[in-house]
Amino acid sequence: MKKSLLALGALAAAHGAFAQSSVTVFGVLDTSIVYTEGSGPNAGSRTQMSSSGNSFSRLGFRGTEDLGGGYGAGFWLEAGLQSDSGGIIPTNVNNQINGVQAGSFGFSRRATVSLFGPFGEVRLGRDYTPTFWNTALFDPFGTGGGIGANHLYFVGQGGLGAYVGTRASNSVGYFLPQNIGGFYGQVMAASGENVDVDGQPGAHDGDYLGGRLGWRSGGFDIAGATGRAQYASGDLTLSNVGVAYTFGPSIQAISGLKLMAEYHQDKLGEREGKGGLVGFKWPMGPGVLKASYAHYERDPQVAGQSDLASDKMALGYEYLLSKRTSLYATVARIHNDDGTADSLGGVPTTPGRPATGTEFGITHTF
């Protein structure tokens, strides 16, 4: 009888602990058919199945535990997937070129544990850098892998190609609490975790420090962010400002229309770049109409040559079949100035000549 009572007590305690916790499995599968082509001599074209045209494919697990008194603990594990092939997106363990872990499964998108409460949130692990959020949230197409997504993110020196352009490993982050007059923000510090050998450069390669501060009220949202990663070959500094306004029901004809803009600056070593983007998202019929125009220019790789510059226009429509499933179509075109050969979908185009693309896909979230 005593053993039974002890067992029931343990079961009740375990049930109480479980009742105060929650774990969620979530994900996105996004697959599309894409046609892209360059122009001019030695240009190419390609039709392919691709992943993440509208939203990045992923599989994740997240959970929280109520610690009482308004405090809690949480975790977030999220892996990047390639839905067209079943492959995975590699992670980077130290924010440097030698830290890429290709070919092995990992939670490359996010792997964090945190404590939160009235003071805000302290988060440890691999997480999004502060400057990434402006790039993602103030573009109608976000930063999905499709042809419509943010030109500044895919071409900029502080974008997708940078080891801290999206995320940083070995990071400590602090987030302001909610409900402080519309203000929100974060700071992040991350380490490259190198051995410090006297007299040898590179001890601080991959070290990162950044922050973001914004204000949101009604339909208005504005945020600025900056970050710097150290490298012996030349530090990467990235700063951006994003602003958006969503019209309310008081103007029925354009209710729900969201106007968006971003200004962007980056510097890698002595090479500087800058650009801007304007666009909108507009609920229309059973879906959402999206459009954007972006310009980006950076210093030439060889001193004395003209700056490299390109413009991108994108137009898309997402048809909502349900709350979790949608179809989408996007067209995009890049105009290159002389000497610039920015392309779509990795298909080469002749410097100074345009590149175009068309994409149709399906997104399902769970």
Side-chain angles (χ1 to χ4, degrees), residues 19-273:
Q20 297 177 50
S21 303
S22 66
V23 176
T24 301
V25 180
F26 65 95
V28 176
L29 287 178
D30 183 314
T31 308
S32 62
I33 303 296
V34 189
Y35 175 76
T36 51
E37 64 175 353
S39 58
N42 302 315
S45 64
R46 177 166 59 181
T47 300
Q48 63 178 321
M49 180 173 288
S50 186
S51 177
S52 309
N54 183 48
S55 179
F56 273 109
S57 296
R58 71 199 75 173
L59 174 65
F61 309 87
R62 61 177 182 258
T64 60
E65 180 186 11
D66 185 359
L67 300 178
Y71 294 88
F75 76 92
W76 192 301
L77 298 171
E78 186 174 326
L81 305 176
Q82 295 174 328
S83 59
D84 58 327
S85 64
I88 54 91
I89 305 298
T91 190
N92 187 303
V93 299
N94 63 4
N95 314 319
Q96 303 163 63
I97 190 172
N98 63 358
V100 178
Q101 300 289 295
S104 59
F105 180 84
F107 295 103
S108 57
R109 290 180 57 84
R110 180 174 165 183
T112 61
V113 62
S114 63
L115 289 173
F116 54 88
F119 63 90
E121 180 181 2
V122 175
R123 192 181 293 176
L124 285 73
R126 178 169 173 81
D127 203 0
Y128 295 94
T129 55
T131 50
F132 168 77
W133 286 117
N134 284 352
T135 305
L137 299 178
F138 293 101
D139 181 287
F141 294 91
T143 54
I147 61 173
N150 199 310
H151 190 51
L152 309 177
Y153 177 62
F154 281 92
V155 178
Q157 298 179 120
L160 181 64
Y163 300 114
V164 294
T166 305
R167 304 170 182 86
S169 294
N170 318 312
S171 74
V172 178
Y174 168 71
F175 294 77
L176 290 174
Q178 299 180 1
N179 303 319
I180 53 173
F183 287 98
Y184 58 90
Q186 68 177 111
V187 292
M188 170 189 277
S191 173
E193 299 186 337
N194 300 295
V195 176
D196 190 353
V197 180
D198 290 342
Q200 294 188 12
H204 295 286
D205 280 11
D207 290 357
Y208 173 87
L209 181 64
R212 181 172 183 252
L213 182 64
W215 181 71
R216 185 184 300 115
S217 179
F220 184 75
D221 190 6
I222 185 171
T226 188
R228 177 173 173 263
Q230 299 183 60
Y231 298 100
S233 58
D235 293 350
L236 170 65
T237 303
L238 175 63
S239 300
N240 52 33
V241 176
V243 62
Y245 183 79
T246 304
F247 290 90
S250 59
I251 308 178
Q252 189 63 37
I254 55 174
S255 177
L257 172 63
K258 185 175 184 178
L259 304 178
M260 313 164 80
E262 179 191 357
Y263 178 73
H264 165 107
Q265 284 187 330
D266 55 44
K267 184 177 181 181
L268 181 58
E270 296 302 317
R271 193 180 183 204
E272 298 183 352

